Amino acid sequence: MPLNRRTFLGSSAVAGAGVVIAGAVVAPAAAAAPRAKRYSFTVMGTTDLHGNVFNWDYFTDREFDDKAHNDVGLAKISTLVERVRKEKGRRNTLLIDAGDTIQGTQLSYYYAKVDPITAERGPVHPMAQAMNAIGYDAAALGNHEFNYGIPVLRKFQEQCDFPLLGANALDAKTLRPAFPPYSMHRLRTPCGRDVRVAVLGLTNPGIAIWDKANVSGKMVFPGLEEQAAKWVPKLRSMGADVVIVSAHSGSSGTSSYGDQLPYIENAAALVAEQVPGIDAILVGHAHTEIPEYRVKNKETGKDVVLSEPLKWGQRLTLFDFDVVWSKGRWVVEKVGAQVLNSNTVEEDPEIVKLLGDEHEKVVAYVNQVIGTSTAVMSTADAPWKDEPIIDLINHVQAETVKAALAGGEYASLPVLSQASCFSRSARIPAGEVTIRDAAGLYPFENTLEARLLTGAQLKDYLEFSARYYVQTPAGAPVDPAQLTNAGGTPDYNYDAVYGLSYEIDIAKPAGSRIVNLSFQGKPLDPAARFVLAVNNYRASGGGAFPHVAGAQQVWANSDEIRNTIIQWVKAQGTVDPGRFASVDWRLTRDGVPVF
């Protein structure tokens, strides 16, 4: 019967009359409350892959291993990713990266320099091939992406099936983003409306210092907090239900470049604290493992979840999101993070098959013999002793600069050199020396410069470097394992200077440790001028060493120091430590040698 006003009132009256029966009041049945719509998904993340596809160490020519028996490489990560996708459902996952992808191994070096991807009909970069095959959805730019120059980076970008993000990598002239700032991803839910997940990419402002030669006048890199504050509200206004930041920036709030830039190097936690609207941050750059770290946003009071998987593909981060439909939109109800260890799985045979030929080419390349050595040299004790293997780096650098300056204005000035122990496992064997032996001394893509410094400035430089040692009273036991890296100073920020003689008194406080500083047997003249052979990272302000970044540059070279060493060994034929090695610095306490 059609329902009209009369029948509605009549039926209502009948119903009203029927609710009182035998003195009891019966309430009408309440409608069941609708069940809230919920959806769960997982965002996986890697960072600081540094050219690692396989669980292989090209410098030792064998399977990678360390004291903790970690494994490395995208082939392992691929297996973990497929396991998560199978468990969660591929549609319910995303995979992102936080940068430093195309530098770090001889595999990545080979396809940037030996058989470059930029050549006409050049190869596809192995990292692009692997990440495309695994199915990455987005990756942030790392600072080491710029090491080989912008053309190599642009070619790599072209070869990737996913966007390279950098909201704070701006064109120097227009100040507009030089790379996509963000990517937007839709996850289909069984509840009707898709979940929109925005990934904002942020890179490291230190690029302006560390790769000045490659980016100066071309790109600028403002602070992460500033650019996140600009872009996160835009992403929300565009309909993003979830905002994730992929940041090539550690969480400590510190900078290695002092006050040379107004921007923080390791700003991920500051972004979480200061910029409302972020749900999670994939952290990179610092090479530390952070399974889950919660930072409360000052404005909203909500937790932002941070996670940093260990470098080189040793870990895979999982951000697990629970969202609920509320007031016409998806709202994040819960976020948690964890990391998976890649040493628990085998390499994905599909990735191994895909890049097996590239791997074999690089193995053959690094095993080329370039000369011989009369003695074994090792970096095992180099962090606390003047070792011949570090003298080798310094000797090559000093000779190269002397030759470059010969016949010029600065030819009469004495040439000194700085070098660091980049790896405690580097080794030059007695007998045949290969490319991998020489390259293992210098795993970074640094180039060589020459800067003018005075004796007084060099004294300051050495005092700054000597902060590396833990203050140890005279007479107290000395454990080499506990002696170095004071204040978190990494090995690569401890410099030995070749051409001077000095002692480092570790019983004294930092800043007053350099004693008996001399040049050619006489106390160092504070006013004397010297040429310092120095890598471009240090010369550009990396490590915040005093004076050198502002010192006059008298020469610079575009070739990597690693190649300079390789070419030197080839030219010499024989490496004889007796020709260049001497003990010019030592650790002491009250004048007594520690070792």
Side-chain angles (χ1 to χ4, degrees):
M1 182 175 66
L3 186 64
N4 56 35
R5 184 173 183 273
R6 181 177 298 172
T7 55
F8 173 76
L9 292 174
S11 61
S12 297
V14 171
V19 294
V20 182
I21 301 174
V25 178
V26 180
R35 179 177 297 176
K37 297 177 181 178
R38 283 184 164 80
Y39 175 65
S40 298
F41 66 95
T42 296
V43 177
M44 298 173 281
T46 55
T47 191
D48 296 279
L49 292 168
H50 283 288
N52 284 281
V53 172
F54 301 104
N55 188 42
W56 191 261
D57 185 339
Y58 292 96
F59 293 132
T60 62
D61 199 30
R62 60 177 178 265
E63 185 175 324
F64 176 88
D65 196 21
D66 62 13
K67 291 180 181 178
H69 300 299
N70 288 302
D71 288 347
V72 300
L74 278 170
K76 292 264 183 173
I77 289 294
S78 182
T79 302
L80 287 176
V81 166
E82 287 308 307
R83 180 177 291 183
V84 173
R85 285 171 175 163
K86 186 175 181 180
E87 177 187 343
K88 309 281 185 179
R90 177 155 189 156
R91 283 186 168 185
N92 304 319
T93 65
L94 292 172
L95 176 60
I96 64 176
D97 183 80
D100 275 6
T101 304
I102 60 171
Q103 176 278 336
T105 64
Q106 286 293 287
L107 179 72
S108 55
Y109 177 82
Y110 186 89
Y111 288 98
K113 291 288 188 176
V114 181
D115 186 10
I117 61 174
T118 49
E120 187 177 353
R121 300 194 189 117
V124 177
H125 199 289
M127 294 301 286
Q129 291 190 60
M131 295 174 82
N132 289 342
I134 295 168
Y136 274 78
D137 295 288
L141 293 164
N143 54 283
H144 284 288
E145 259 65 83
F146 294 84
N147 285 171
Y148 297 117
I150 292 173
V152 170
L153 174 54
R154 287 299 190 192
K155 189 64 178 181
F156 175 70
Q157 179 187 25
E158 177 187 314
Q159 293 177 343
C160 290
D161 294 341
F162 51 91
L164 298 183
L165 308 178
N168 63 328
L170 310 182
D171 181 274
K173 294 179 180 177
T174 66
L175 297 184
R176 299 185 64 176
F179 293 85
Y182 66 89
S183 57
M184 191 75 77
H185 309 268
R186 287 178 176 267
L187 296 177
R188 182 162 295 178
T189 76
C191 308
R193 185 178 181 272
D194 296 348
V195 173
R196 287 186 170 191
V197 181
V199 179
L200 178 67
L202 296 170
T203 192
N204 205 288
I207 296 165
I209 291 177
W210 305 321
D211 267 299
K212 183 178 180 180
N214 290 328
V215 302
S216 182
K218 300 173 184 177
M219 293 185 192
V220 293
F221 303 88
L224 284 84
E225 307 98 307
E226 167 194 323
Q227 294 301 302
K230 173 183 176 180
W231 283 101
V232 171
K234 288 185 179 182
L235 296 174
R236 289 294 184 182
S237 69
M238 291 164 61
D241 302 300
V242 179
V243 173
I244 300 168
V245 173
S246 183
H248 193 74
S249 181
S251 62
S252 65
T254 60
S255 293
S256 69
Y257 39 74
D259 59 1
Q260 295 174 81
L261 288 178
Y263 313 117
I264 299 296
E265 177 182 349
N266 295 302
L270 295 175
V271 171
E273 182 182 76
Q274 297 175 13
V275 181
I278 299 169
D279 297 299
I281 300 179
L282 177 65
V283 178
H285 182 62
H287 289 203
T288 57
E289 182 176 342
I290 305 174
E292 183 184 84
Y293 175 40
R294 293 179 178 269
V295 176
K296 196 171 293 294
N297 183 267
K298 284 184 175 180
E299 184 173 324
T300 65
K302 293 182 179 179
D303 280 354
V304 181
V305 177
L306 283 66
S307 181
E308 181 177 4
L310 199 57
K311 64 185 185 297
W312 305 345
Q314 295 179 53
R315 303 289 185 274
L316 176 71
T317 278
L318 304 186
F319 290 107
D320 292 311
F321 288 86
D322 294 332
V323 294
V324 61
W325 183 261
S326 176
K327 299 179 181 179
R329 59 185 294 265
W330 290 107
V331 177
V332 174
E333 187 176 47
K334 182 183 177 185
V335 188
Q338 60 176 309
V339 295
L340 304 182
N341 195 327
S342 66
N343 73 3
T344 61
V345 296
E346 298 298 318
E347 292 185 327
D348 183 343
E350 293 300 316
I351 302 300
V352 173
K353 181 180 179 181
L354 177 68
L355 291 164
D357 289 346
E358 286 84 346
H359 172 70
E360 292 303 322
K361 282 182 184 179
V362 176
V363 169
Y365 164 73
V366 300
N367 280 292
Q368 293 179 45
V369 175
I370 55 174
T372 60
S373 175
T374 62
V376 175
M377 293 181 283
S378 167
T379 57
D381 293 336
W384 49 85
K385 291 182 182 178
D386 187 351
E387 289 288 293
I389 197 167
I390 303 299
D391 288 341
L392 172 61
I393 298 172
N394 273 320
H395 180 72
V396 172
Q397 292 181 164
E399 274 204 352
T400 302
V401 169
K402 285 176 185 176
L405 298 180
E409 179 182 356
Y410 305 102
S412 63
L413 293 180
V415 177
L416 312 177
S417 178
Q418 63 77 224
S420 304
C421 176
F422 293 123
S423 166
R424 298 192 184 193
S425 60
R427 184 176 180 272
I428 298 291
E432 291 185 339
V433 178
T434 63
I435 284 177
R436 65 179 171 83
D437 296 324
L441 287 180
Y442 224 106
F444 297 108
E445 319 311 323
N446 296 342
T447 57
L448 189 59
E449 296 189 16
R451 300 279 178 129
L452 285 182
L453 291 173
T454 66
Q457 290 174 328
L458 286 162
K459 171 78 157 44
D460 290 344
Y461 190 100
L462 289 171
E463 288 286 9
F464 185 87
S465 185
R467 302 176 314 152
Y468 173 72
Y469 295 105
V470 174
Q471 187 173 1
T472 309
V478 176
D479 178 4
Q482 305 297 322
L483 181 61
T484 61
N485 308 104
T489 303
D491 290 352
Y492 62 76
N493 275 342
Y494 170 67
D495 286 358
V497 173
Y498 179 80
L500 298 176
S501 294
Y502 56 97
E503 297 174 7
I504 302 173
D505 191 333
I506 61 172
K508 294 182 177 179
S512 59
R513 291 178 168 174
I514 303 300
V515 295
N516 297 327
L517 177 58
S518 65
F519 172 67
Q520 293 184 344
K522 298 178 181 179
L524 185 67
D525 179 358
R529 293 200 308 165
F530 297 85
V531 174
L532 180 67
V534 59
N535 68 56
N536 69 301
Y537 173 80
R538 189 71 77 236
S540 298
F545 276 63
H547 307 305
V548 67
Q552 181 183 345
Q553 182 193 83
V554 297
W555 178 82
N557 187 12
S558 61
D559 200 16
E560 292 92 354
I561 293 169
R562 172 198 298 138
N563 274 347
T564 303
I565 295 171
I566 290 170
Q567 295 307 318
W568 184 90
V569 174
K570 282 183 176 180
Q572 296 295 315
T574 301
V575 179
D576 180 2
R579 292 177 49 206
F580 56 79
S582 61
V583 178
D584 295 318
W585 66 269
R586 57 173 53 84
L587 302 185
T588 61
R589 290 181 293 182
D590 295 340
V592 178
V594 175
F595 299 105

